[in-house]
């Protein structure tokens, strides 16, 4: 091992001048030893070159413009990065571009582009990129930086399984180059190479990773660092699976399996030279160099407890494939069938990504690149011509597009239940599996699924292994006083809940009447208001719910903290669709009995829960206590109580000196009432709570069955009067209530506005209670409820305490969310 280190920068990490400068800084911070810096082309350049070649091959004259665009982008980048020092590079680029135009003109004239032409042309992205970074390093404190054109050194042989390095020849050339250029900072072109005849070629897409690994081995480097645009290798492609987590350590084998099936962050060949030379490879985020990233090595470092890692580490999904299926009774027990099949495919250059054969040998199925499907079919038909003719082979068919979904992990082998979890997750996401394979290394399980389902399938299997069964995707309706308090409480408790109880609460959507905020992974609750102002979009309930009810998160819940009636009829629909409902909103369960039944009655088809503890008594366990009584077989005779915190406050403060109207004005001023205090004074809020309690106790009550005494004087019921005007005029009517107060006082009692629900009927009214009665001894905005039942008789069961206000109400909703998580199983989160 030498003290060389290799650093590779991908195209995404070299997309603009700022990123070149950042790369140079990272190289300088890399340490004291000599550094080889392997660079990709700036993001998008390789694609743009290949597109220009394709245009020329189709004789589309726009190839010129395409080429000029590439040139102009590089020239602009050089100007920005290098300033006055840019001219030598710009001259080179312009002169190369003229040559390339000639090459493309040739392609246009012949109307065809051999593969070599594409490789030659597209390699210029890296050739320019290396010169760009070298020039920048040279002008910013590393004057001896050199660039190495890998085409002059790296010799490869093109084979069906990709380019193979001629190590000896390449080693000699590199040694010679180093003697002539004894620099300690060498910028190497990624991706490009030469074949044995000296013709420019490439290491194929994403080949710069391979370059880094090759040079690591050639230089006998002590480490290779791949700088890219993700934190490291994640448990799945983070663009497809937002929940993906960083994998701190991967064995070489795990990395190779993941890469093979399409984790673009690693090129499949990348590993080989590094493995042979046992060089540790780090994948790191160029945008966040403070993060450690992923280590690939032959053994985990001591500080990482890889034993604790999950059995399955990563998931990937391949590019599109076709499945070739050959089926026939005549294949059973006949030796050599597989050999003939794969021989035929090999002869026409079709590579097979996956094979599966049932034990009966009745059929064999192979996954092949989609683009080679027809070629494969005719080759196989040809090879089995006779069997087809004599009916020994019934069908040879090719279908697609499909994708191979793979789960990878070294320790799968020792862990039972992995396959069950994998296929279970696919099953519950309703994804059809076309073929299955598990290598005998048991490091990989693969399933072939329809291409259109592949992203969903990837998310489903990923959450099957990585998300706790108690992960809730939460959509909050109405971030008003209660809603925003709830968000604050969730933010404060989330971490402990996750760590100690594996309850993972993710608020993925917040919606108010005009706008909504959605986030894949979960909204940052510390600054949701800013985010909503910045990234909010127009409110759209259907989209909101579809987002919250994401396939890949085990459970979805809509939390209704609005005071609106607009969602009443939608609750049953959400519940039928499997979306849980947690609510502080009384409207739905207190409107018609029919709607109540559709929400509350258990149905076999229903997979979702409704929880509405906070609809009566806010955080007090009123509804829950009632439900427990009913479920345990007690008979509830009567429920009576002060159910409105607002009205409780009014009557607790009422006295000879403080008339009713001034209490109402005071409550209004303190924000204890609805914006229009008449909504409290009509008693409707209490009627709603009485209905909910009555129905929970088993009574078939319609709203019209509850008699109600309104505290709004007849003369002031005209809704056109503004709240302030109403308050002014209320004083004229103080006499009525004052008279009742006096009457009560004469008997030594007090006035309370109460609900009473029993089998014989329900009423909401102002009543007198003697001073020793529990209802007489409430204070502030307390609620109090007394349950008289078969068991609690004659002494009722009493629940008393603060029954209104954002904190206790939000606390009640939060408790329902946790209760919901508790109802949703809670098996161990990881196999
Ligand atoms: P670079 O330009 O640095 O070579 P690439 O775009 O080639 O970067 O590779 C990085 C990308 O690989 C990431 O942005 C990510 O979308 C994708 N990717 C696919 N699978 C994974 C995975 N398991 N972990 C991390 N990234 C992955
Ligand atoms: N520029 C090449 C590509 O985009 C090689 C690489 O970036 O690794 O495929
Ligand atoms: Mg790449």
């Amino acid at each position: 091992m030498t003290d060389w280190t290799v650093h590779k920068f991908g195209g995404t990490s070299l997309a603009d001048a700022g990123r070149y400068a950042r790369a140079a800084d990272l190289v300088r911070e890399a340490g004291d030893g000599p550094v080889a810096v392997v660079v990709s082309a700036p993001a998008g350049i390789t694609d743009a070159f290949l597109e220009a070649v394709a245009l020329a091959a189709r004789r589309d004259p726009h190839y010129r413009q395409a080429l000029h665009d590439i040139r102009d982008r590089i020239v602009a980048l050089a100007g920005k990065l290098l300033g006055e020092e840019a001219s030598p590079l710009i001259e080179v680029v312009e002169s190369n571009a003229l040559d390339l135009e000639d090459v493309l003109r040739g392609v246009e004239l012949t109307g065809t582009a051999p593969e070599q032409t594409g490789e030659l042309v597209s390699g210029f992205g890296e050739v320019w990129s290396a010169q760009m970074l070298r020039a920048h390093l040279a002008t910013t404190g590393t004057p001896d930086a050199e660039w190495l054109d890998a085409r002059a050194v790296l010799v490869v042989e093109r084979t069906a399984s990709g380019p193979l390095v001629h190590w000896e020849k390449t080693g000699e050339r590199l040694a010679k180059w180093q003697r002539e250029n004894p620099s300690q900072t060498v910028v190497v072109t990624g991706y490009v190479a030469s074949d044995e005849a000296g013709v420019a070629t490439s290491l194929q897409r994403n080949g710069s990773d391979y370059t880094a690994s090759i040079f690591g081995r050639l230089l006998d480097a002590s480490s290779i660092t791949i700088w890219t645009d993700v934190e490291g290798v994640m448990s799945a492609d983070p663009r497809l699976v937002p929940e993906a987590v960083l994998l701190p350590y991967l064995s070489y084998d795990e990395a190779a399996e993941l890469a093979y099936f399409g984790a673009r962050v690693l090129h499949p060949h990348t590993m080989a030279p590094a493995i042979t030379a046992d060089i540790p490879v780090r994948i790191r985020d160029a945008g966040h160099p403070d993060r450690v990233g992923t280590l690939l090595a032959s053994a985990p470092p001591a500080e990482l407890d890889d034993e604790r890692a999950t059995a399955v580490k990563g998931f990937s999904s391949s590019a599109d494939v076709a499945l070739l299926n050959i089926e026939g009774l005549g294949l059973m027990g006949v030796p050599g069938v597989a050999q003939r099949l794969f021989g035929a495919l090999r002869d026409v250059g079709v590579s097979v990504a996956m094979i599966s054969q049932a034990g009966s040998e009745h059929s064999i199925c192979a996954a092949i690149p989609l683009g080679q499907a027809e070629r494969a079919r005719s080759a196989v038909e040809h090879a089995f011509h006779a069997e087809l003719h004599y009916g020994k082979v019934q069908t040879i068919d090719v279908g697609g597009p499909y994708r191979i979904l793979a789960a990878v992990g070294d320790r799968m082998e020792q862990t039972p239940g992995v396959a069950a979890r994998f296929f279970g997750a696919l099953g519950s996401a309703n994804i059809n599996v076309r073929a299955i394979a598990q290598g005998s290394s048991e490091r990989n399980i693969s399933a072939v699924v329809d291409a259109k389902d592949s992203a969903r399938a990837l998310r489903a299997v990923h959450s099957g292994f990585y998300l706790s069964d108690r992960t809730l995707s939460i959509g909050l309706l109405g971030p008003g006083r209660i809603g925003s308090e709830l968000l604050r409480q969730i933010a404060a408790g989330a971490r402990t809940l996750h760590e100690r109880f594996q309850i993972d609460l993710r608020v993925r959507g917040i919606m108010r009447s005009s706008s909504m905020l959605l986030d894949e992974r979960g909204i940052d609750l510390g600054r949701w208001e800013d985010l909503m102002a910045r990234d909010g979009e127009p409110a759209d309930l259907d989209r909101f719910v579809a987002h919250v009810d994401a396939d890949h998160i085990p459970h979805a819940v809509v939390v209704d903290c609005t005071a609106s009636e607009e969602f009443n009829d939608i609750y049953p629909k959400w519940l039928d669709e499997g979306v849980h409902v947690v609510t502080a909103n009384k409207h739905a369960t207190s409107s018609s009995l029919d709607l109540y039944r559709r929400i509350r009655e258990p149905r076999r088809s229903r997979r979702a829960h409704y929880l509405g503890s906070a609809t009566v008594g806010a955080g007090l366990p009123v509804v829950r206590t009632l439900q427990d009584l009913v479920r345990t077989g007690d008979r509830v005779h009567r429920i009576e109580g002060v159910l409105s915190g607002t009205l409780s406050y009014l009557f607790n403060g009422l006295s000879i000196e403080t008339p009713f109207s001034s209490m109402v004005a005071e409550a209004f001023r303190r924000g204890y009432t609805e914006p229009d205090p008449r909504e409290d004074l009509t008693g409707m809020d209490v009627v709603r709570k009485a209905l909910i309690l009555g129905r929970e106790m088993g009574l078939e009550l319609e709203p019209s069955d509850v008699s109600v005494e309104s505290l709004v004087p007849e003369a002031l019921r005209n809704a056109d009067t503004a709240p302030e005007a109403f308050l002014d005029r209320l004083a004229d009517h103080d006499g009525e209530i004052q008279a009742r107060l006096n009457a009560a006082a004469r008997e030594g009692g007090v006035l309370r506005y109460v609900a009473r629900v029993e089998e014989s009927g329900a009423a909401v009214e102002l009543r007198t209670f003697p001073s020793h009665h529990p209802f007489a001894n409430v204070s502030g905005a307390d609620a109090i409820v007394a349950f008289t039942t078969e068991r609690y008789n004659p002494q009722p069961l009493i629940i008393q305490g603060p029954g209104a206000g954002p904190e206790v109400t939000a606390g009640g909703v939060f408790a329902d969310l946790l209760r919901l998580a508790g109802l949703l199983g809670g098996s161990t989160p990881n196999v």
Side-chain angles (χ1 to χ4, degrees):
M1 198 170 71
T2 64
D3 50 3
W4 278 91
T5 54
V6 175
H7 289 259
K8 178 256 170 178
F9 290 90
T12 41
S13 308
L14 296 171
D16 52 39
R19 295 192 191 195
Y20 273 88
R22 185 178 74 184
D25 291 340
L26 289 172
V27 168
R28 272 190 284 261
E29 285 158 19
D32 301 333
V35 195
V37 189
V38 175
V39 291
S40 288
I45 294 288
T46 312
D47 284 329
F49 268 128
L50 292 173
E51 175 60 18
V53 176
L55 287 170
R58 290 202 301 271
R59 300 208 159 108
D60 180 336
H62 289 103
Y63 74 85
R64 278 176 209 280
Q65 189 54 48
L67 190 59
H68 294 167
D69 289 348
I70 298 172
R71 178 198 63 197
D72 295 348
R73 187 173 152 206
I74 300 290
V75 167
L77 209 168
K80 186 132 190 242
L81 181 69
L82 304 172
E84 290 179 354
E85 311 288 330
S87 346
L89 177 58
I90 291 177
E91 260 172 48
V92 169
V93 172
E94 283 178 342
S95 128
N96 290 161
L98 286 175
D99 293 342
L100 289 174
E101 205 166 324
D102 290 343
V103 174
L104 293 190
R105 170 91 179 115
V107 171
E108 182 188 22
L109 289 174
T110 52
T112 135
E115 226 170 291
Q116 274 102 330
T117 309
E119 299 196 336
L120 166 80
V121 173
S122 63
F124 273 82
E126 271 72 9
V127 171
W128 294 336
S129 180
Q131 296 176 70
M132 181 99 65
L133 185 61
R134 188 215 65 87
H136 176 70
L137 281 164
T139 56
T140 53
T142 316
D144 77 326
E146 285 292 349
W147 78 284
L148 165 57
D149 184 343
R151 293 174 301 184
V153 173
L154 178 53
V155 184
V156 297
E157 182 183 339
R158 311 160 112 261
T159 72
S161 56
L164 293 180
V165 181
H166 277 282
W167 290 104
E168 212 169 307
K169 209 182 268 178
T170 305
E172 284 163 13
R173 289 188 184 189
L174 177 62
K176 177 161 179 285
W177 186 91
Q178 281 187 297
R179 281 195 299 278
E180 290 161 9
N181 301 277
S183 169
Q184 297 289 293
T185 307
V186 180
V187 184
V188 184
T189 53
Y191 181 61
V192 295
S194 295
D195 67 12
E196 296 124 305
V199 177
T201 179
S202 86
L203 301 182
Q204 300 178 355
R205 293 317 305 270
N206 274 313
S208 301
D209 296 336
Y210 193 20
T211 310
S213 171
I214 293 169
F215 277 84
R217 174 169 163 192
L218 288 170
L219 295 166
D220 197 13
S222 55
S223 72
I224 299 171
T225 307
I226 310 268
W227 294 97
T228 181
D229 67 337
V230 269
E231 246 184 285
V233 182
M234 315 285 286
S235 51
D237 186 341
R239 293 185 209 192
L240 300 175
V241 182
E243 283 71 36
V245 297
L246 177 75
L247 301 174
Y249 165 77
L250 283 176
S251 72
Y252 287 133
D253 291 333
E254 287 170 330
E257 297 268 1
L258 262 186
Y260 185 78
F261 283 100
R264 185 157 51 105
V265 69
L266 294 172
H267 188 269
H269 298 296
T270 309
M271 295 300 99
I275 296 174
T276 319
D278 202 4
I279 303 171
V281 179
R282 272 198 186 280
I283 316 283
R284 296 182 62 184
D285 186 344
H288 297 97
D290 50 313
R291 301 189 182 161
V292 285
T294 299
L295 173 69
L296 313 181
S298 48
E303 74 273 12
L304 268 182
D305 187 2
D306 196 51
E307 290 298 310
R308 278 191 51 209
T310 47
V312 175
K313 282 200 183 153
F315 300 88
S316 61
S317 103
S318 71
D320 285 353
V321 296
L323 276 186
L324 181 134
N325 195 45
I326 168 165
E327 202 171 310
L329 293 170
L331 298 176
M332 294 166 90
V334 180
V337 172
Q339 188 206 0
R340 277 166 61 206
L341 171 67
F342 296 116
L345 294 175
R346 182 202 55 220
D347 291 346
V348 292
V350 171
S351 67
V352 176
M354 192 189 112
I355 303 165
S356 108
Q357 174 175 30
S360 69
E361 297 183 41
H362 175 221
S363 69
I364 305 180
C365 157
I368 54 179
L370 190 63
Q372 300 179 345
E374 279 319 306
R375 201 195 311 167
R377 183 211 297 273
S378 46
V380 175
E381 275 173 0
H382 187 72
F384 288 87
H385 179 76
E387 282 86 350
L388 277 168
H389 183 74
Y390 292 110
K392 290 190 165 175
V393 165
Q394 274 82 40
T395 52
I396 295 179
D397 60 29
V398 182
Y402 301 117
R403 289 189 173 189
I404 306 173
L405 195 70
V408 171
D410 280 345
R411 289 193 311 108
M412 267 161 58
E413 176 187 14
Q414 312 133 23
T415 316
V418 172
R421 203 168 247 253
F422 184 77
F423 292 108
L426 291 175
S428 23
N430 217 355
I431 285 159
N432 198 8
V433 175
R434 302 282 174 167
I436 297 172
Q438 172 172 31
S440 61
S441 74
E442 293 193 39
R443 193 176 290 122
N444 173 323
I445 300 184
S446 300
V448 176
V449 301
D450 286 359
K452 68 172 174 26
D453 292 338
S454 67
R456 214 157 56 80
L458 189 64
R459 286 198 282 259
V461 290
H462 187 273
S463 37
F465 284 86
Y466 271 96
L467 292 191
S468 139
D469 289 347
R470 297 171 173 188
T471 303
L472 295 185
S473 167
I474 299 173
L476 174 77
L477 299 173
R481 290 205 335 196
I482 296 170
S484 56
E485 171 61 22
L486 175 66
L487 294 177
R488 201 192 59 72
Q489 294 182 5
I490 292 178
R495 202 185 159 133
T496 317
L497 286 171
H498 196 185
E499 284 170 3
R500 295 200 33 211
F501 306 104
Q502 278 94 48
I503 293 177
D504 187 354
L505 302 180
R506 301 183 179 193
V507 179
R508 297 177 63 254
I510 299 177
M511 183 165 131
R512 50 163 65 112
S513 48
S514 57
S515 66
M516 65 182 185
L517 176 67
L518 305 180
D519 189 281
E520 249 333 307
R521 295 193 65 148
I523 294 165
D524 177 353
L525 297 182
R527 52 195 195 103
W528 66 269
E529 276 159 309
D530 293 343
L531 293 172
M532 194 141 188
R534 196 186 73 192
D535 306 330
E537 30 191 323
D540 174 340
L541 187 64
D542 289 340
R543 263 193 62 217
F544 180 81
V545 176
H547 171 87
V548 171
D549 189 16
D551 277 323
H552 60 291
I553 304 204
H555 304 282
V557 50
V558 169
V559 178
D560 182 359
C561 287
T562 69
S564 154
E565 294 176 44
E566 108 192 65
F567 310 113
N568 285 6
D569 289 326
I570 320 180
Y571 282 12
K573 175 168 166 277
W574 288 335
L575 293 167
D576 282 341
E577 287 168 358
V579 176
H580 308 285
V581 175
V582 168
T583 183
N585 181 337
K586 303 176 262 302
H587 284 288
T589 42
S590 66
S591 81
S592 71
L593 188 57
D594 172 58
L595 178 60
Y596 173 83
R597 288 196 176 124
R598 284 193 286 130
I599 294 170
R600 297 293 287 126
E601 278 186 359
R603 264 193 257 168
R604 192 175 303 192
S605 62
R606 182 158 288 173
R607 293 175 291 130
H609 299 278
Y610 166 91
L611 291 104
S613 310
T615 53
V616 182
L620 297 179
V622 176
V623 174
R624 242 181 331 129
T625 304
L626 174 57
Q627 287 170 342
D628 285 347
L629 292 173
V630 172
R631 279 191 211 128
T632 57
D634 199 355
R635 235 180 99 95
V636 181
H637 299 308
R638 183 167 63 250
I639 304 174
E640 211 173 4
V642 176
L643 300 180
S644 155
T646 314
L647 295 179
S648 178
Y649 175 82
L650 294 182
F651 288 96
N652 294 342
L654 195 63
S655 68
I656 311 288
E657 299 81 47
T658 324
F660 187 62
S661 60
S662 54
M663 277 314 294
V664 176
E666 172 72 7
F668 178 73
R669 209 173 45 72
R670 293 186 175 216
Y672 290 178
T673 65
E674 295 294 321
D676 185 340
R678 273 167 295 190
E679 290 185 21
D680 297 295
L681 300 183
T682 54
M684 274 321 290
D685 175 65
V686 181
V687 170
R688 289 204 179 94
K689 290 171 179 161
L691 279 164
I692 292 173
L693 294 179
R695 288 167 175 177
E696 288 292 336
M697 91 187 230
L699 304 181
E700 303 202 329
L701 288 177
E702 288 288 0
S704 55
D705 296 333
V706 184
S707 78
V708 52
E709 175 183 357
S710 172
L711 300 174
V712 182
E714 283 279 355
L716 302 183
R717 291 195 185 158
N718 182 350
D720 293 342
T721 342
E724 289 75 10
F726 163 76
L727 285 172
D728 285 346
R729 292 172 52 196
L730 189 60
D732 302 341
H733 301 265
D734 275 340
E736 295 162 34
I737 290 190
Q738 214 60 31
R740 289 175 69 175
L741 181 67
N742 293 338
R746 275 196 299 279
E747 294 169 29
V750 296
L751 285 182
R752 294 291 180 257
Y753 191 78
V754 294
R756 181 188 176 99
V757 188
E758 49 201 343
E759 268 166 23
S760 57
V764 168
E765 62 202 3
L766 199 56
R767 293 219 327 259
T768 304
F769 289 88
S771 58
H772 57 81
H773 192 279
F775 291 1
N777 296 301
V778 292
S779 60
D782 275 9
I784 183 164
V785 186
F787 297 98
T788 307
T789 74
E790 201 81 16
R791 290 180 199 145
Y792 292 94
N793 200 352
Q795 278 294 80
L797 167 64
I798 291 185
I799 296 170
Q800 175 180 3
E807 277 174 24
V808 289
T809 311
V813 176
F814 195 7
D816 268 355
L817 276 173
L818 299 187
R819 211 161 291 129
L820 175 62
L823 291 170
L824 301 173
S827 61
T828 45
N830 283 312
V831 168

